[in-house]
């Protein structure tokens, strides 16, 4: 139980911290992308401004005559390591006048500002960063200068950053998981101490309660053997009955306290078919089942799982007891065993009085009785189904109930096939 709780704490701690770490890494990567792009844009803008400053224009009629001879790349050569892939000059009407590098597509439009483009064609060299700036002469637009450079350097820097993240994140997640496991152990210490104290208290209470009850019971039974008047005999018989009920109640409470939230680890191979058949045959001989038709249906092949046979028999017996108790004379009680995709199913169905829909969600609660008027001597303590549920969950299974008033009830125990031997 404590190991499972510790694993759950470590798991949820890792999930939460891992989610925060991934969100933080995503933000950092986004900022890194923005930073790389901003640095590249600044450099490209400076180069484009230098080229635009070399454009010469002379007044001619109503406009200007543009001279690009002194513009780097368009008129004069630039150093081969300039990083410029292409440079284009468009006139004020957006028509291509002169270019360096690849020929622009026919449908290319002039859009002022920065943009990332993927050039088409056989000479494709990868993603490009392009800037288009308007060029003015004395306040008059004389054309547009468009320049593009490779994004390879930025992509390489980002690839290296992603490589660092791909190593750093798993390592950090592992460290978080170990930290979660360690912190889970620290958090479980006071709980484990409290649980150990409760276990010791339970053991002590068991001894302290059972001993005086056994003494009272034996004295009352001895008193019944001696001569006494009818009034005294009635009182002694009441004492015997009450002590037996108290003993049963204490046993049930101790059982619930002992297996609370505990996953059984010491399991043995159990033949469920054999267990079910023995239970039904045993119950068929008891007075509680004398008024009903009790039967069972087993699969052709044996179903063996890892389980605690005694506890599992107690859980199934509690369901059988309720089915027989609340089924009218000549009614049917059937116990069926079969397998589903991932589970072994033990099903107890009856044609009894049924359970109202508003009571179904509460029937596995401790001390819950469908009919509050029932006393412990007639309707039990309301612990049988709670005990069955606790036993099933200690096998990592689950229990379900469905019922219709006046038609009958069906209880199903699902045990994982992972427990199958």
């Amino acid at each position: 139980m404590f190991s499972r709780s510790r694993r759950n704490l470590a798991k949820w701690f890792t999930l939460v911290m891992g989610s925060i770490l991934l969100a933080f890494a995503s933000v950092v990567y986004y900022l890194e992308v923005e930073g790389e792009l901003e640095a590249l844009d600044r450099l490209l803008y400076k180069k484009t401004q230098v080229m635009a400053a070399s454009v010469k224009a002379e007044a001619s009629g109503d406009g200007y005559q543009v001279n690009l001879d002194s513009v780097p790349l368009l008129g004069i050569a630039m150093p081969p390591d300039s990083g410029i892939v292409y440079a284009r000059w468009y006139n004020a009407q957006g028509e291509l006048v002169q270019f360096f590098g690849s020929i622009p597509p026919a449908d290319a439009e002039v859009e002022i500002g920065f943009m990332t483009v993927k050039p088409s064609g056989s000479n494709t060299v990868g993603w490009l960063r392009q800037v288009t700036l308007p060029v003015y002469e004395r306040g008059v637009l004389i054309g547009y200068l468009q320049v593009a450079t490779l994004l390879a350097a930025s992509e390489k820097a980002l690839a290296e950053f992603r490589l660092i993240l791909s190593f750093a994140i798993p390592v950090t997640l592992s460290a978080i998981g170990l930290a979660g496991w360690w912190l889970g152990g620290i958090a479980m210490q006071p709980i484990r101490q409290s649980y150990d104290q409760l276990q010791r208290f339970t053991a002590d209470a068991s001894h302290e309660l059972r001993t005086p009850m056994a003494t009272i019971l034996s004295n009352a039974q001895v008193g019944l053997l001696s001569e006494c008047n009818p009034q005294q005999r009635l009182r002694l018989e009441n004492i015997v009955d009450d002590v037996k009920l108290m003993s049963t109640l204490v046993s049930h409470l101790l059982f619930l306290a002992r297996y609370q939230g505990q996953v059984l680890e010491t399991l043995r191979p159990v033949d469920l078919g054999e267990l079910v058949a023995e239970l039904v045959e045993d119950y068929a001989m008891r007075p509680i089942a004398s008024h009903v038709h009790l039967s069972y249906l087993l699969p052709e092949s044996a179903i063996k799982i890892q389980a605690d046979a005694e506890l599992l028999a107690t859980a199934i017996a509690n369901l059988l007891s309720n089915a027989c108790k609340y089924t009218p004379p000549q009614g049917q009680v059937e116990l069926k065993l079969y397998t589903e995709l991932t589970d072994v199913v033990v099903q107890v169905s009856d044609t009894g009085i049924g359970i109202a829909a508003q009571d179904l969600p509460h029937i596995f609660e401790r001390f819950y009785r469908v009919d509050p008027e029932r006393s412990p001597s007639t309707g039990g303590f309301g612990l049988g189904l709670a005990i069955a549920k606790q036993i099933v969950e200690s096998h990592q299974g689950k229990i379900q109930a469905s019922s219709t008033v006046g038609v009958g009830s069906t209880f199903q125990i699902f045990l994982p096939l992972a427990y199958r031997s």
Side-chain angles (χ1 to χ4, degrees):
M1 175 178 66
F2 294 105
S3 297
R4 183 178 58 175
S5 299
R6 186 177 183 180
R7 284 197 298 273
N8 287 335
L9 284 173
K11 180 182 70 176
W12 284 109
F13 180 79
T14 304
L15 285 175
V16 172
M17 296 303 295
S19 300
I20 295 174
L21 174 66
L22 289 176
F24 178 74
S26 301
V27 172
V28 170
Y29 181 74
Y30 174 77
L31 294 177
E32 183 69 16
V33 171
E34 290 288 314
E36 286 287 340
L37 209 55
E38 186 177 349
L40 183 64
D41 287 348
R42 281 201 300 269
L43 181 60
L44 182 60
Y45 184 74
K46 286 180 180 178
K47 290 180 179 179
T48 308
Q49 275 196 320
V50 170
M51 295 173 67
S54 303
V55 176
K56 294 180 180 178
E58 296 179 356
S60 175
D62 295 335
Y64 282 90
Q65 182 69 36
V66 177
N67 185 352
L68 302 175
D69 292 342
S70 57
V71 177
L73 293 178
L74 295 177
I76 60 175
M78 277 189 74
D81 58 347
S82 63
I84 303 298
V85 176
Y86 61 75
R88 298 162 185 169
W89 175 262
Y90 295 87
N91 60 20
Q93 289 73 39
E95 299 169 343
L96 181 64
V97 176
Q98 193 168 337
F99 68 93
F100 163 80
S102 60
I103 302 174
D107 57 347
E109 296 181 357
V110 178
E111 295 183 17
I112 298 174
F114 292 93
M115 63 186 304
T116 301
V117 296
K118 177 70 173 177
S120 59
S122 57
N123 296 325
T124 299
V125 291
W127 288 94
L128 303 176
R129 190 65 173 170
Q130 170 187 291
V131 63
T132 304
L133 296 180
V135 181
Y136 296 91
E137 179 68 26
R138 298 180 182 179
V140 178
L141 178 65
I142 59 174
Y144 301 92
L145 183 60
Q146 187 176 79
V147 179
T149 186
L150 283 171
L151 274 171
S154 300
E155 290 177 333
K156 182 180 179 182
L158 291 175
E160 291 175 351
F161 189 67
R162 288 196 298 269
L163 183 64
I164 294 173
L165 289 179
S166 65
F167 283 102
I169 290 177
V171 171
T172 307
L173 280 176
S174 300
I176 290 174
L178 291 175
W181 177 258
W182 177 65
L183 292 173
I186 294 177
M188 293 302 298
Q189 283 182 0
I191 301 174
R192 179 184 288 273
Q193 291 172 356
S194 300
Y195 181 81
D196 291 341
Q197 291 176 355
L198 179 61
Q199 289 291 85
R200 286 194 294 273
F201 169 78
T202 301
D204 294 342
S206 171
H207 176 73
E208 296 299 330
L209 286 174
R210 284 179 170 176
T211 301
M213 282 194 297
T215 303
I216 295 171
L217 181 61
S218 61
N219 287 333
Q221 289 173 333
V222 169
L224 287 173
L225 297 176
S226 61
E227 293 185 0
C228 55
N229 59 50
Q231 189 174 8
Q232 289 175 329
R233 176 170 293 278
L234 178 61
R235 289 173 179 170
L236 289 173
E237 289 175 348
N238 289 336
I239 290 174
V240 170
D241 292 339
D242 289 342
V243 171
K244 286 182 178 177
L245 286 174
M246 285 185 64
S247 179
T248 302
L249 176 60
V250 169
S251 297
H252 287 172
L253 292 176
L254 290 177
F255 180 91
L256 290 170
R258 185 177 297 120
Y259 294 99
Q260 176 66 43
Q262 180 178 346
V263 176
L264 299 176
E265 296 178 354
T266 56
L267 306 176
R268 298 177 183 277
V270 175
D271 188 332
L272 272 182
E274 185 178 332
L275 177 69
V276 167
E278 289 179 358
L279 269 175
V280 174
E281 290 170 1
D282 177 58
Y283 255 77
M285 304 297 293
R286 298 187 182 186
I288 192 174
S290 60
H291 63 290
V292 299
H293 297 290
L294 184 58
S295 61
Y296 61 86
L297 180 62
L298 304 178
E300 294 182 356
S301 58
I303 298 179
K304 293 185 178 181
I305 64 170
Q306 296 287 335
D308 186 312
E310 185 177 351
L311 292 180
L312 206 53
T314 301
I316 300 172
N318 287 351
L319 300 184
L320 268 180
S321 175
N322 280 349
C324 294
K325 189 183 300 181
Y326 299 118
T327 299
Q330 306 306 316
Q332 300 283 339
V333 175
E334 183 184 57
L335 200 153
K336 187 185 295 184
L337 178 65
Y338 59 95
T339 59
E340 288 188 342
L341 290 177
T342 58
D343 297 308
V344 179
V345 183
V346 181
Q347 176 177 300
V348 179
S349 57
D350 62 63
T351 56
I353 59 176
I355 304 170
Q358 65 269 23
D359 292 318
L360 271 178
H362 307 288
I363 57 175
F364 294 108
E365 297 175 3
R366 298 176 184 182
F367 297 109
Y368 185 84
R369 297 189 185 92
V370 174
D371 183 0
E373 299 300 325
R374 289 178 181 148
S375 66
S377 59
T378 59
F381 295 104
L383 292 174
L385 292 179
I387 290 174
K389 181 173 184 287
Q390 191 157 310
I391 291 174
V392 172
E393 289 180 347
S394 67
H395 286 77
Q396 296 190 5
K398 61 181 179 181
I399 185 169
Q400 294 178 349
S402 60
S403 184
T404 303
V405 174
V407 176
S409 305
T410 298
F411 288 81
Q412 291 177 307
I413 294 175
F414 297 86
L415 298 172
L417 276 174
Y419 273 48
R420 194 168 184 171
S421 57

